[in-house]
Amino acid sequence: MPRSVYVLAMGIFAMVTSEFVVAGLMPQMADGLGVSISRIGYLITAFAVAMAVGGPFLTVALLRMPQKSALMLLFGIFLVGNVLAATASTYPAMLVARIITGVAAQAFFGVAISICVQLARPELRGRSIAVALNGLMLGTLLGLPLATVVGEHLGWRAAFWTISLLTVLAALCTLVGVERLDPVEGEGGFRRELHVFANRRLWLTLATSTCVIGATFSAFSYFNPILTDVTGFATATVPLLLVAYGAATVVGNTVVGRLADRYTAPVLLCGLLLNLLFLVGFALLAHLPVPTVLLMMGVGLVGVTMNPALTTRVQRAGNARPLVNTVHSSFITLGIIIGSSVGGAAINEFGLRAPLWLGAAMAAIGVVTVLPDLRRRRTGDSGAESPEGWTVEERAVEERVVEDRVGVVAGGVDGAVGPVDREPAGAEAVGRRA
């Protein structure tokens, strides 16, 4: 695995820590800015909307820039947002800071995942995505508790300064540890980037991602009140349970990453069916402590951990370039927004178990969106993994470009990959991927 992938995970870790920090410091921030907790909650929504809407536009603006340079620029924008948050004296200033960081984070995810795919050998692409996305899992497992502890003991502003320091450290590591990828002829054009979105199958794969993440976050967003008010756990116990949940996501992400390349659709189907089962069980047995903990760990194993398979599927339906990856992240964020907002509204009408039933419903819809891929796989349709409007020759050209980069980078770093090791390009390679 190229070392650059591990370096990119550090950047994602910093971004995710910033994304979730407000959730852990809501009372302190409300006191410091002189507003209600509900208005602090809108900062979370603003960050998510900025990611979903603003991220793709920023990515388009960076299309013709070398991708490593784009990463460094995004680190700079993200750092400005966090410094502004750390020094904000008014709520509007904090709102602007969160919008800036949200837009930069989303664009960063898209560019970083694109680099991961370009640097990894074809058979390791799913694993490379999983390694990079471990920054997401570790941000939830370690980053959020770290920022919360710092905020509680040193003040909420210190938490944002800490994230700023993490951002600088990740940027320096990226500057030194990530190879520069030169632009390739025919790559990065705006029309070429947009052309792929005419593919209806791409939109179906994006819908799957929204359902998978929405199903998980409809439950995750309300774990705290469910565990205390329905199950009866003490408040002090909940953080320990959330750490265990985070550990389960790291394990699940690693396993899915190893299977995502060869068994993309079957992995997604199994994950969705298991998540459906765990969420229904959670809703029915939430009043019992032991089943609740086991089912919550199950959701951790098969929920957001589907990300490597989701990303692999989207890239096969579209491409592995930054705009597709960023739009995919926007659809993931849309799932978070739907799961958390609709789940909250459902609580008011039907009680605390309602988000779990909502999650189960979204998982069931997700199953339906995966079935067409399974039919293609069963009938051996070799075009199943190619976007509409792309000929075999066009796909072969792109595969050769990516694999040439892999050979150059790996050969220059550790000599691990040479021409003999590369997977064949052209129709034979396309057929193998289908």
Side-chain angles (χ1 to χ4, degrees):
M1 186 69 61
R3 66 167 178 259
S4 297
V5 176
Y6 296 93
V7 175
L8 292 170
M10 294 180 60
I12 293 176
F13 174 82
M15 307 277 168
V16 172
T17 301
S18 178
E19 178 180 358
F20 291 132
V21 67
V22 172
L25 297 172
M26 294 180 75
Q28 298 95 318
M29 292 182 66
D31 291 340
L33 295 173
V35 297
S36 65
I37 288 181
S38 63
R39 292 193 72 189
I40 296 298
Y42 293 145
L43 295 175
I44 300 175
T45 304
F47 190 99
V49 172
M51 290 182 73
V53 177
F57 286 101
L58 180 55
T59 302
V60 168
L62 300 176
L63 282 178
R64 295 191 178 279
M65 182 179 290
Q67 291 184 354
K68 183 175 179 179
S69 300
L71 284 182
M72 300 311 299
L73 177 60
L74 291 169
F75 270 126
I77 296 172
F78 186 75
L79 179 61
V80 168
N82 277 290
V83 171
L84 180 58
T87 58
S89 58
T90 64
Y91 182 82
M94 177 60 73
L95 182 61
V96 170
R98 296 305 287 168
I99 291 173
I100 292 172
T101 50
V103 171
Q106 189 78 313
F108 183 92
F109 292 155
V111 177
I113 295 301
S114 178
I115 291 177
C116 287
V117 172
Q118 293 177 66
L119 292 179
R121 291 168 56 169
E123 66 273 17
L124 294 178
R125 289 175 186 171
R127 289 176 63 180
S128 72
I129 294 169
V131 169
L133 289 179
N134 266 333
L136 170 64
M137 310 307 165
L138 292 174
T140 306
L141 176 62
L142 301 176
L144 175 58
L146 172 64
T148 302
V149 169
V150 170
E152 288 178 348
H153 289 84
L154 301 177
W156 62 268
R157 295 183 189 276
F160 284 101
W161 284 119
T162 301
I163 294 170
S164 299
L165 181 61
L166 284 173
T167 302
V168 172
L169 178 61
L172 292 174
C173 290
T174 300
L175 184 64
V176 174
V178 174
E179 292 81 4
R180 180 183 178 88
L181 297 175
D182 294 325
V184 177
E185 184 179 355
E187 183 181 82
F190 183 57
R191 288 186 179 180
R192 182 177 174 85
E193 292 283 347
L194 285 183
H195 173 73
V196 72
F197 291 98
N199 176 11
R200 288 171 295 179
R201 180 169 169 262
L202 174 59
W203 292 101
L204 186 65
T205 64
L206 293 171
T208 303
S209 298
T210 298
C211 289
V212 170
I213 303 304
T216 303
F217 268 83
S218 64
F220 175 78
S221 301
Y222 301 99
F223 274 171
N224 198 321
I226 292 172
L227 292 172
T228 54
D229 297 347
V230 179
T231 313
F233 283 108
T235 302
T237 306
V238 173
L240 299 177
L241 294 175
L242 293 178
V243 168
Y245 172 88
T249 66
V250 173
V251 173
N253 184 66
T254 302
V255 173
V256 171
R258 291 182 176 274
L259 300 174
D261 288 305
R262 295 189 61 185
Y263 308 105
T264 309
V267 164
L268 287 173
L269 180 64
C270 290
L272 281 162
L273 288 173
L274 286 172
N275 209 15
L276 173 60
L277 177 65
F278 292 144
L279 288 167
V280 169
F282 198 167
L284 294 173
L285 303 174
H287 58 289
L288 301 175
V290 173
T292 291
V293 171
L294 294 176
L295 292 165
M296 188 175 78
M297 295 303 103
V299 173
L301 286 170
V302 299
V304 295
T305 58
M306 292 294 110
N307 258 315
L310 292 171
T311 302
T312 299
R313 183 168 176 251
V314 166
Q315 289 175 353
R316 287 174 177 169
N319 59 50
R321 292 193 289 274
L323 185 58
V324 167
N325 287 318
T326 303
V327 170
H328 180 220
S329 296
S330 294
F331 273 77
I332 286 175
T333 304
L334 178 62
I336 296 173
I337 295 172
I338 292 173
S340 58
S341 60
V342 178
I347 287 175
N348 295 330
E349 295 292 330
F350 306 105
L352 281 170
R353 298 179 196 238
L356 302 174
W357 289 112
L358 171 65
M362 294 191 73
I365 296 171
V367 169
V368 175
T369 66
V370 174
L371 293 179
D373 274 15
L374 290 171
R375 285 196 294 269
R376 291 188 186 96
R377 181 184 178 92
R378 189 165 53 249
T379 58
D381 178 5
S382 61
E385 302 297 348
S386 298
E388 292 179 7
W390 282 45
T391 65
V392 170
E393 290 77 13
E394 287 174 324
R395 172 61 77 183
V397 168
E398 181 166 354
E399 293 295 338
R400 282 196 295 272
V401 166
V402 172
E403 293 179 14
D404 283 345
R405 281 178 168 175
V406 172
V408 170
V409 171
V413 173
D414 56 14
V417 181
V420 176
D421 297 317
R422 295 181 195 162
E423 186 174 296
E428 181 182 348
V430 174
R432 185 179 303 175
R433 292 203 208 306

